[in-house]
PDB file of all heavy atoms in Angstrom:
ATOM      1  N   LEU A  39      12.499  19.313   9.358  1.00 95.00           N
ATOM      2  CA  LEU A  39      13.854  19.019   8.912  1.00 95.00           C
ATOM      3  C   LEU A  39      14.918  19.639   9.815  1.00 95.00           C
ATOM      4  O   LEU A  39      16.091  19.279   9.720  1.00 95.00           O
ATOM      5  CB  LEU A  39      14.045  19.500   7.473  1.00 95.00           C
ATOM      6  CG  LEU A  39      13.225  18.724   6.418  1.00 95.00           C
ATOM      7  CD1 LEU A  39      13.416  19.335   5.040  1.00 95.00           C
ATOM      8  CD2 LEU A  39      13.600  17.250   6.420  1.00 95.00           C
ATOM      9  N   PRO A  45      18.453  13.371   4.896  1.00 94.00           N
ATOM     10  CA  PRO A  45      19.160  12.105   4.653  1.00 94.00           C
ATOM     11  C   PRO A  45      18.631  10.938   5.495  1.00 94.00           C
ATOM     12  O   PRO A  45      18.600   9.792   5.038  1.00 94.00           O
ATOM     13  CB  PRO A  45      20.616  12.440   5.014  1.00 94.00           C
ATOM     14  CG  PRO A  45      20.729  13.908   4.772  1.00 94.00           C
ATOM     15  CD  PRO A  45      19.406  14.459   5.188  1.00 94.00           C
ATOM     16  N   ASP A  76      -2.876   5.593  -0.330  1.00 88.00           N
ATOM     17  CA  ASP A  76      -3.912   4.767   0.294  1.00 88.00           C
ATOM     18  C   ASP A  76      -4.152   5.196   1.744  1.00 88.00           C
ATOM     19  O   ASP A  76      -5.195   4.909   2.325  1.00 88.00           O
ATOM     20  CB  ASP A  76      -3.499   3.297   0.277  1.00 88.00           C
ATOM     21  CG  ASP A  76      -3.404   2.752  -1.143  1.00 88.00           C
ATOM     22  OD1 ASP A  76      -4.392   2.875  -1.892  1.00 88.00           O
ATOM     23  OD2 ASP A  76      -2.336   2.225  -1.507  1.00 88.00           O
ATOM     24  N   ALA A  85       0.256  21.904  16.493  1.00 96.00           N
ATOM     25  CA  ALA A  85      -0.893  22.810  16.539  1.00 96.00           C
ATOM     26  C   ALA A  85      -0.985  23.617  15.257  1.00 96.00           C
ATOM     27  O   ALA A  85      -2.078  23.872  14.729  1.00 96.00           O
ATOM     28  CB  ALA A  85      -0.782  23.732  17.752  1.00 96.00           C
ATOM     29  N   ILE A  88      -2.307  21.358  12.399  1.00 97.00           N
ATOM     30  CA  ILE A  88      -3.735  21.104  12.602  1.00 97.00           C
ATOM     31  C   ILE A  88      -4.549  22.322  12.201  1.00 97.00           C
ATOM     32  O   ILE A  88      -5.594  22.217  11.548  1.00 97.00           O
ATOM     33  CB  ILE A  88      -3.998  20.691  14.062  1.00 97.00           C
ATOM     34  CG1 ILE A  88      -3.461  19.275  14.310  1.00 97.00           C
ATOM     35  CG2 ILE A  88      -5.482  20.775  14.406  1.00 97.00           C
ATOM     36  CD1 ILE A  88      -3.510  18.839  15.754  1.00 97.00           C
ATOM     37  N   VAL A 111      -7.134   9.781   6.416  1.00 92.00           N
ATOM     38  CA  VAL A 111      -6.076  10.646   6.936  1.00 92.00           C
ATOM     39  C   VAL A 111      -6.076  10.544   8.454  1.00 92.00           C
ATOM     40  O   VAL A 111      -7.120  10.722   9.093  1.00 92.00           O
ATOM     41  CB  VAL A 111      -6.276  12.114   6.510  1.00 92.00           C
ATOM     42  CG1 VAL A 111      -5.213  13.008   7.142  1.00 92.00           C
ATOM     43  CG2 VAL A 111      -6.237  12.235   4.995  1.00 92.00           C
ATOM     44  N   ALA A 132     -12.157  19.618  16.251  1.00 90.00           N
ATOM     45  CA  ALA A 132     -13.570  19.292  16.027  1.00 90.00           C
ATOM     46  C   ALA A 132     -13.930  19.441  14.554  1.00 90.00           C
ATOM     47  O   ALA A 132     -14.654  18.604  13.987  1.00 90.00           O
ATOM     48  CB  ALA A 132     -14.457  20.196  16.887  1.00 90.00           C
ATOM     49  N   SER A 146      -0.557  11.236  27.500  1.00 87.00           N
ATOM     50  CA  SER A 146      -0.231  12.113  28.619  1.00 87.00           C
ATOM     51  C   SER A 146       1.088  11.650  29.223  1.00 87.00           C
ATOM     52  O   SER A 146       1.290  10.454  29.459  1.00 87.00           O
ATOM     53  CB  SER A 146      -1.341  12.072  29.672  1.00 87.00           C
ATOM     54  OG  SER A 146      -1.085  12.992  30.706  1.00 87.00           O
ATOM     55  N   CYS A 169      -3.197   2.600  12.394  1.00 89.00           N
ATOM     56  CA  CYS A 169      -3.194   2.784  10.946  1.00 89.00           C
ATOM     57  C   CYS A 169      -3.337   1.462  10.196  1.00 89.00           C
ATOM     58  O   CYS A 169      -3.875   1.432   9.081  1.00 89.00           O
ATOM     59  CB  CYS A 169      -1.911   3.480  10.512  1.00 89.00           C
ATOM     60  SG  CYS A 169      -1.750   5.191  11.086  1.00 89.00           S
ATOM     61  N   TYR A 172      -6.713   0.564   8.789  1.00 79.00           N
ATOM     62  CA  TYR A 172      -7.102   1.238   7.551  1.00 79.00           C
ATOM     63  C   TYR A 172      -6.491   0.544   6.343  1.00 79.00           C
ATOM     64  O   TYR A 172      -7.147   0.348   5.319  1.00 79.00           O
ATOM     65  CB  TYR A 172      -6.641   2.701   7.575  1.00 79.00           C
ATOM     66  CG  TYR A 172      -7.449   3.597   8.474  1.00 79.00           C
ATOM     67  CD1 TYR A 172      -6.905   4.112   9.638  1.00 79.00           C
ATOM     68  CD2 TYR A 172      -8.760   3.949   8.149  1.00 79.00           C
ATOM     69  CE1 TYR A 172      -7.640   4.947  10.468  1.00 79.00           C
ATOM     70  CE2 TYR A 172      -9.499   4.783   8.963  1.00 79.00           C
ATOM     71  CZ  TYR A 172      -8.932   5.274  10.125  1.00 79.00           C
ATOM     72  OH  TYR A 172      -9.671   6.112  10.944  1.00 79.00           O
ATOM     73  N   GLU A 178      -8.908  -5.824   2.057  1.00 58.00           N
ATOM     74  CA  GLU A 178      -9.565  -6.967   2.677  1.00 58.00           C
ATOM     75  C   GLU A 178     -10.952  -6.659   3.240  1.00 58.00           C
ATOM     76  O   GLU A 178     -11.700  -7.567   3.559  1.00 58.00           O
ATOM     77  CB  GLU A 178      -8.684  -7.512   3.816  1.00 58.00           C
ATOM     78  CG  GLU A 178      -7.305  -7.953   3.365  1.00 58.00           C
ATOM     79  CD  GLU A 178      -6.436  -8.374   4.534  1.00 58.00           C
ATOM     80  OE1 GLU A 178      -6.970  -8.523   5.642  1.00 58.00           O
ATOM     81  OE2 GLU A 178      -5.225  -8.542   4.343  1.00 58.00           O
ATOM     82  N   PRO A 180     -14.671  -6.235   3.948  1.00 75.00           N
ATOM     83  CA  PRO A 180     -15.826  -6.822   3.256  1.00 75.00           C
ATOM     84  C   PRO A 180     -16.792  -5.781   2.691  1.00 75.00           C
ATOM     85  O   PRO A 180     -17.650  -6.123   1.886  1.00 75.00           O
ATOM     86  CB  PRO A 180     -16.506  -7.662   4.350  1.00 75.00           C
ATOM     87  CG  PRO A 180     -16.029  -7.082   5.645  1.00 75.00           C
ATOM     88  CD  PRO A 180     -14.653  -6.569   5.381  1.00 75.00           C
ATOM     89  N   GLY A 183     -15.588  -0.526  -1.351  1.00 83.00           N
ATOM     90  CA  GLY A 183     -16.310  -0.108  -2.543  1.00 83.00           C
ATOM     91  C   GLY A 183     -17.777   0.197  -2.306  1.00 83.00           C
ATOM     92  O   GLY A 183     -18.476   0.632  -3.232  1.00 83.00           O
ATOM     93  N   HIS A 185     -20.903   2.312  -0.453  1.00 95.00           N
ATOM     94  CA  HIS A 185     -21.224   3.571   0.210  1.00 95.00           C
ATOM     95  C   HIS A 185     -22.337   3.318   1.214  1.00 95.00           C
ATOM     96  O   HIS A 185     -23.422   2.842   0.859  1.00 95.00           O
ATOM     97  CB  HIS A 185     -21.678   4.630  -0.802  1.00 95.00           C
ATOM     98  CG  HIS A 185     -21.984   5.963  -0.187  1.00 95.00           C
ATOM     99  ND1 HIS A 185     -22.817   6.892  -0.778  1.00 95.00           N
ATOM    100  CD2 HIS A 185     -21.574   6.532   0.989  1.00 95.00           C
ATOM    101  CE1 HIS A 185     -22.897   7.964  -0.014  1.00 95.00           C
ATOM    102  NE2 HIS A 185     -22.158   7.763   1.063  1.00 95.00           N
ATOM    103  N   ALA A 224     -15.843   0.503   4.068  1.00 88.00           N
ATOM    104  CA  ALA A 224     -16.903   1.264   3.413  1.00 88.00           C
ATOM    105  C   ALA A 224     -16.584   2.757   3.389  1.00 88.00           C
ATOM    106  O   ALA A 224     -15.847   3.267   4.233  1.00 88.00           O
ATOM    107  CB  ALA A 224     -18.236   1.034   4.125  1.00 88.00           C
ATOM    108  N   ILE A 245     -27.328  17.613  11.305  1.00 95.00           N
ATOM    109  CA  ILE A 245     -28.742  17.985  11.127  1.00 95.00           C
ATOM    110  C   ILE A 245     -29.331  18.297  12.504  1.00 95.00           C
ATOM    111  O   ILE A 245     -28.704  18.036  13.537  1.00 95.00           O
ATOM    112  CB  ILE A 245     -29.564  16.874  10.436  1.00 95.00           C
ATOM    113  CG1 ILE A 245     -29.453  15.532  11.197  1.00 95.00           C
ATOM    114  CG2 ILE A 245     -29.104  16.686   9.004  1.00 95.00           C
ATOM    115  CD1 ILE A 245     -30.545  15.247  12.154  1.00 95.00           C
ATOM    116  N   PRO A 276     -43.843  20.782  16.574  1.00 93.00           N
ATOM    117  CA  PRO A 276     -44.802  21.871  16.769  1.00 93.00           C
ATOM    118  C   PRO A 276     -45.273  22.425  15.425  1.00 93.00           C
ATOM    119  O   PRO A 276     -44.470  22.616  14.496  1.00 93.00           O
ATOM    120  CB  PRO A 276     -44.007  22.917  17.547  1.00 93.00           C
ATOM    121  CG  PRO A 276     -42.954  22.134  18.259  1.00 93.00           C
ATOM    122  CD  PRO A 276     -42.589  21.040  17.303  1.00 93.00           C
ATOM    123  N   ILE A 284     -41.042  31.764  24.651  1.00 83.00           N
ATOM    124  CA  ILE A 284     -42.351  31.737  25.304  1.00 83.00           C
ATOM    125  C   ILE A 284     -42.153  32.001  26.790  1.00 83.00           C
ATOM    126  O   ILE A 284     -41.430  31.270  27.466  1.00 83.00           O
ATOM    127  CB  ILE A 284     -43.043  30.377  25.074  1.00 83.00           C
ATOM    128  CG1 ILE A 284     -43.233  30.130  23.574  1.00 83.00           C
ATOM    129  CG2 ILE A 284     -44.384  30.327  25.794  1.00 83.00           C
ATOM    130  CD1 ILE A 284     -43.726  28.736  23.246  1.00 83.00           C
ATOM    131  N   VAL A 311     -37.869   3.325   1.662  1.00 94.00           N
ATOM    132  CA  VAL A 311     -38.231   2.018   1.101  1.00 94.00           C
ATOM    133  C   VAL A 311     -39.115   2.201  -0.125  1.00 94.00           C
ATOM    134  O   VAL A 311     -38.913   1.554  -1.171  1.00 94.00           O
ATOM    135  CB  VAL A 311     -38.937   1.153   2.159  1.00 94.00           C
ATOM    136  CG1 VAL A 311     -39.478  -0.125   1.525  1.00 94.00           C
ATOM    137  CG2 VAL A 311     -37.983   0.817   3.301  1.00 94.00           C
ATOM    138  N   VAL A 323     -31.762  -0.761   6.399  1.00 96.00           N
ATOM    139  CA  VAL A 323     -31.859  -1.248   7.774  1.00 96.00           C
ATOM    140  C   VAL A 323     -32.606  -0.224   8.609  1.00 96.00           C
ATOM    141  O   VAL A 323     -32.255   0.961   8.611  1.00 96.00           O
ATOM    142  CB  VAL A 323     -30.459  -1.480   8.379  1.00 96.00           C
ATOM    143  CG1 VAL A 323     -30.575  -2.001   9.817  1.00 96.00           C
ATOM    144  CG2 VAL A 323     -29.644  -2.435   7.519  1.00 96.00           C
ATOM    145  N   GLY A 330     -42.156  -3.581  25.879  1.00 72.00           N
ATOM    146  CA  GLY A 330     -43.325  -4.443  25.959  1.00 72.00           C
ATOM    147  C   GLY A 330     -44.464  -3.727  26.672  1.00 72.00           C
ATOM    148  O   GLY A 330     -44.246  -2.812  27.473  1.00 72.00           O
ATOM    149  N   LEU A 337     -40.663  -8.257  20.785  1.00 87.00           N
ATOM    150  CA  LEU A 337     -40.624  -8.958  19.503  1.00 87.00           C
ATOM    151  C   LEU A 337     -41.945  -8.855  18.745  1.00 87.00           C
ATOM    152  O   LEU A 337     -41.965  -8.741  17.515  1.00 87.00           O
ATOM    153  CB  LEU A 337     -40.268 -10.432  19.724  1.00 87.00           C
ATOM    154  CG  LEU A 337     -38.770 -10.758  19.811  1.00 87.00           C
ATOM    155  CD1 LEU A 337     -38.575 -12.231  20.137  1.00 87.00           C
ATOM    156  CD2 LEU A 337     -38.068 -10.396  18.507  1.00 87.00           C
ATOM    157  N   ARG A 377     -37.294 -15.046   8.243  1.00 88.00           N
ATOM    158  CA  ARG A 377     -36.221 -15.664   9.017  1.00 88.00           C
ATOM    159  C   ARG A 377     -36.507 -15.511  10.500  1.00 88.00           C
ATOM    160  O   ARG A 377     -37.215 -14.597  10.926  1.00 88.00           O
ATOM    161  CB  ARG A 377     -34.875 -15.037   8.658  1.00 88.00           C
ATOM    162  CG  ARG A 377     -34.566 -15.142   7.177  1.00 88.00           C
ATOM    163  CD  ARG A 377     -33.244 -14.519   6.806  1.00 88.00           C
ATOM    164  NE  ARG A 377     -32.115 -15.265   7.328  1.00 88.00           N
ATOM    165  CZ  ARG A 377     -30.866 -15.085   6.912  1.00 88.00           C
ATOM    166  NH1 ARG A 377     -30.598 -14.204   5.965  1.00 88.00           N
ATOM    167  NH2 ARG A 377     -29.880 -15.796   7.433  1.00 88.00           N
ATOM    168  N   VAL A 382     -29.265 -10.368  20.334  1.00 88.00           N
ATOM    169  CA  VAL A 382     -27.883 -10.064  20.698  1.00 88.00           C
ATOM    170  C   VAL A 382     -27.897  -9.232  21.975  1.00 88.00           C
ATOM    171  O   VAL A 382     -28.533  -8.184  22.032  1.00 88.00           O
ATOM    172  CB  VAL A 382     -27.162  -9.281  19.588  1.00 88.00           C
ATOM    173  CG1 VAL A 382     -25.692  -9.064  19.949  1.00 88.00           C
ATOM    174  CG2 VAL A 382     -27.299  -9.982  18.254  1.00 88.00           C
ATOM    175  N   VAL A 398     -25.877  -7.797   7.369  1.00 93.00           N
ATOM    176  CA  VAL A 398     -26.027  -7.060   6.122  1.00 93.00           C
ATOM    177  C   VAL A 398     -25.146  -7.667   5.030  1.00 93.00           C
ATOM    178  O   VAL A 398     -25.573  -7.836   3.885  1.00 93.00           O
ATOM    179  CB  VAL A 398     -25.663  -5.576   6.331  1.00 93.00           C
ATOM    180  CG1 VAL A 398     -25.606  -4.828   4.996  1.00 93.00           C
ATOM    181  CG2 VAL A 398     -26.672  -4.903   7.266  1.00 93.00           C
ATOM    182  N   GLU A 400     -24.189 -10.652   4.571  1.00 87.00           N
ATOM    183  CA  GLU A 400     -24.756 -11.893   4.028  1.00 87.00           C
ATOM    184  C   GLU A 400     -25.657 -11.606   2.830  1.00 87.00           C
ATOM    185  O   GLU A 400     -25.707 -12.379   1.879  1.00 87.00           O
ATOM    186  CB  GLU A 400     -25.562 -12.618   5.102  1.00 87.00           C
ATOM    187  CG  GLU A 400     -24.745 -13.239   6.220  1.00 87.00           C
ATOM    188  CD  GLU A 400     -25.640 -13.903   7.254  1.00 87.00           C
ATOM    189  OE1 GLU A 400     -26.857 -14.061   6.970  1.00 87.00           O
ATOM    190  OE2 GLU A 400     -25.148 -14.262   8.319  1.00 87.00           O
TER     191      GLU A 400
END
Side-chain angles (χ1 to χ4, degrees):
L39 292 176
D76 295 306
I88 288 173
V111 176
S146 185
C169 293
Y172 286 110
E178 301 175 11
H185 182 203
I245 55 96
I284 300 172
V311 172
V323 180
L337 275 176
R377 303 180 69 166
V382 184
V398 171
E400 289 178 12

